[in-house]
Amino acid sequence: MGLFDKKYCDICGEKIGLLGNRKLENGNLCKNCARKLSPWFSDRRGSTVEEIRAQLAYRAENQEKVAAFHTTRTLGADTKVLLDEDAGKFMVTRARNLAEANPDVLDFADVTGCNLDIDESSTELKRKDKDGKEVSYNPPRYEYSYDFYITIFVNNPYFDEMRFQLNSSSVDITPPPGTRPGMTSRYNPESNVEYRNCKKLGEEIRQVLTQVRRDVREKIEQAAAPKAAVTCPCCGATTTPDASGCCEYCGGAVNG
């Protein structure tokens, strides 16, 4: 087939316009169908037509989960972590219209880990000498830039991590003279209010997701643990309490 031969989407069957094709391992995908994939999914080129169909079915089911989602807690500033604590679910999105964006809804139990990463970069500051040329200070001076990232590791068939930036723009810090690297003391970025706020926000998200994961895992382990037989105070029978802590014979509350 030639470069400019007509192509059709192997998902919806629509004709794909010039520059509109999204290659799959064994077929073609139009940009409209590609928009429906999870924003955290990154292996489109390595996916088959069948695998993309399966993901789009998953994404259609996810719309029902979004509709049933009731936010009880919001973490973050630009990109937000929304929690539905009653249902034990969460999503990560910067969208205002959730129904349109269809962010992936995951269970607390899907979380396998959460990291806060702070990326630092530096730019040397220069001054102009008497000839107008840019030269280094002695000792050199630098401006530092910080970006804060959260990575949520998850158990999902289509992606295994959700990485996003906490700050909408970099936190830039220029250390005052006398606290430059190379001097006796190094400038501590924690002295900057914006830096502290971003770090605090990241640590809160990490701690909350780590805690909800721990709570869910403990409940699963407790439910799976064998229950000891006790004497029912209501009927006197030796019984193993059911999931609600009641006697299997008379239904009375068992204290044991």
Side-chain angles (χ1 to χ4, degrees):
M1 294 179 66
L3 178 63
F4 298 104
D5 288 343
K6 294 180 180 178
K7 294 183 175 63
Y8 295 86
C9 178
D10 287 302
I11 301 300
C12 69
E14 291 296 318
K15 179 182 175 182
I16 300 175
L18 187 66
L19 303 179
N21 189 30
R22 306 294 185 265
K23 288 292 295 179
L24 302 176
E25 184 177 295
N26 62 345
N28 301 299
L29 184 71
C30 71
K31 60 183 180 181
N32 290 330
C33 287
R35 289 194 190 102
K36 300 176 183 179
L37 298 173
S38 169
W40 309 107
F41 176 66
S42 60
D43 192 26
R44 186 250 310 160
R45 282 184 171 272
S47 299
T48 64
V49 172
E50 293 72 21
E51 289 169 337
I52 293 299
R53 285 201 181 104
Q55 182 180 165
L56 290 177
Y58 149 80
R59 293 284 291 158
E61 293 175 358
N62 189 78
Q63 289 181 317
E64 299 178 4
K65 295 181 180 180
V66 171
F69 194 95
H70 297 288
T71 303
T72 59
R73 190 172 182 182
T74 300
L75 304 171
D78 186 23
T79 299
K80 298 179 176 63
V81 178
L82 306 182
L83 305 179
D84 183 344
E85 295 162 300
D86 298 328
K89 298 181 183 296
F90 75 99
M91 62 173 71
V92 179
T93 184
R94 63 185 302 178
R96 294 185 177 181
N97 188 330
L98 298 182
E100 181 180 333
N102 192 25
D104 295 271
V105 178
L106 289 85
D107 294 330
F108 289 165
D110 292 331
V111 178
T112 59
C114 186
N115 290 342
L116 168 63
D117 299 311
I118 305 176
D119 291 352
E120 178 190 86
S121 60
S122 62
T123 303
E124 185 178 357
L125 300 176
K126 299 290 185 73
R127 63 177 179 84
K128 289 185 178 182
D129 63 11
K130 61 181 180 179
D131 298 322
K133 295 181 180 180
E134 287 193 341
V135 295
S136 297
Y137 287 92
N138 185 22
R141 296 179 60 184
Y142 297 88
E143 178 184 70
Y144 289 86
S145 182
Y146 297 91
D147 290 305
F148 300 76
Y149 294 91
I150 285 287
T151 304
I152 307 171
F153 300 97
V154 297
N155 182 17
N156 184 278
Y158 302 107
F159 52 91
D160 55 17
E161 67 177 48
M162 308 164 81
R163 179 177 170 85
F164 59 95
Q165 187 171 344
L166 287 174
N167 49 321
S168 56
S169 58
S170 298
V171 177
D172 297 323
I173 302 176
T174 303
T179 56
R180 301 186 300 272
M183 303 292 287
T184 304
S185 61
R186 176 185 171 89
Y187 180 77
N188 183 2
E190 298 273 0
S191 302
N192 181 275
V193 174
E194 189 178 3
Y195 179 100
R196 291 200 309 271
N197 289 340
C198 287
K199 184 177 180 181
K200 181 180 178 181
L201 180 61
E203 289 177 339
E204 181 184 16
I205 293 174
R206 181 180 59 80
Q207 291 169 1
V208 168
L209 289 178
T210 300
Q211 185 61 51
V212 295
R213 171 183 178 270
R214 184 181 299 117
D215 292 344
V216 169
R217 297 300 171 88
E218 288 178 355
K219 289 180 180 179
I220 294 175
E221 292 175 359
Q222 290 173 2
K227 295 180 175 59
V230 296
T231 300
C232 176
C234 299
C235 66
T238 300
T239 180
T240 300
D242 60 19
S244 60
C246 295
C247 175
E248 60 184 323
Y249 299 107
C250 71
V254 176
N255 295 322

